[in-house]
Amino acid sequence: MSETAAQPPIRSLEDALNRCQDKGMRVSRQRRYILELLWDAQEHLSAREIYDRLSRAGRDIGHTSVYQNLEALAANGIVECLDRSEGRLYGNISDPHSHINCLDSNQIIDVQVQLPAELLDRLEAETGVRIVDYRIDFYGYQNQP
């Protein structure tokens, strides 16, 4: 789906830590705490939620350190950063993916969506733009009995 992804996808905490080292980023104690939390949580969290969870777990890390590390990790493609009206949310990153946004719970669910080649060809023909990657945001409500 993506021609821009020269590196293999990040599929584990170990992959994320290795990618930090590959990018010349020091794997500090604080950075490791943040990555471990994101991989354990498997959900999208604000910087404040990350700070609060780390503090409750007895991890010694300051607000500023959380924000700085998240920005560095996102800028290097190691974690996902979603800009939402209520602020930025961060999640562990894997392959390029789409999201289902639950309007009841505000939960964001990662999903793999592959559009049919015929649709991509039609979109390219209609717009004159060669599509090299895509992400789709779906919005809906949880199924109620």
Side-chain angles (χ1 to χ4, degrees), residues 6-58:
Q7 296 182 320
I10 296 172
R11 294 195 175 132
S12 68
L13 174 60
E14 184 178 341
D15 289 347
L17 295 169
N18 288 336
R19 184 69 54 86
C20 285
Q21 292 175 333
D22 292 347
K23 297 237 178 211
M25 298 174 71
R26 191 169 78 83
V27 182
S28 64
R29 176 177 44 87
Q30 293 89 349
R31 195 163 282 162
R32 180 179 286 276
Y33 290 161
I34 291 168
L35 288 171
E36 286 172 350
L37 174 66
L38 288 173
W39 278 95
D40 288 344
Q42 296 287 312
E43 60 182 306
H44 300 84
L45 302 169
S46 69
R48 180 63 192 202
E49 289 171 314
I50 291 168
Y51 170 79
D52 288 345
R53 288 186 187 193
L54 290 173
S55 292
R56 282 195 306 269

Side-chain angles (χ1 to χ4, degrees), residues 31-135:
R31 195 163 282 162
R32 180 179 286 276
Y33 290 161
I34 291 168
L35 288 171
E36 286 172 350
L37 174 66
L38 288 173
W39 278 95
D40 288 344
Q42 296 287 312
E43 60 182 306
H44 300 84
L45 302 169
S46 69
R48 180 63 192 202
E49 289 171 314
I50 291 168
Y51 170 79
D52 288 345
R53 288 186 187 193
L54 290 173
S55 292
R56 282 195 306 269
R59 303 291 192 196
D60 183 30
I61 188 168
H63 285 99
T64 303
S65 183
V66 169
Y67 285 97
Q68 289 173 341
N69 276 291
L70 286 169
E71 289 303 312
L73 291 165
N76 282 284
I78 297 165
V79 300
E80 178 181 34
C81 177
L82 303 174
D83 285 313
R84 296 292 195 237
S85 60
E86 64 275 4
R88 289 186 168 169
L89 299 176
Y90 299 89
N92 63 323
I93 192 168
S94 58
D95 299 339
H97 61 279
S98 297
H99 297 111
I100 296 176
N101 297 269
C102 179
L103 298 172
D104 291 325
S105 66
N106 290 326
Q107 181 182 16
I108 301 170
I109 303 164
D110 295 329
V111 293
Q112 297 294 326
V113 175
Q114 187 164 357
L115 295 176
E118 306 82 47
L119 176 59
L120 294 173
D121 291 342
R122 190 184 91 214
L123 293 170
E124 287 179 351
E126 289 176 9
T127 64
V129 175
R130 189 169 68 87
I131 297 170
V132 297
D133 195 9
Y134 57 88
R135 289 164 191 79

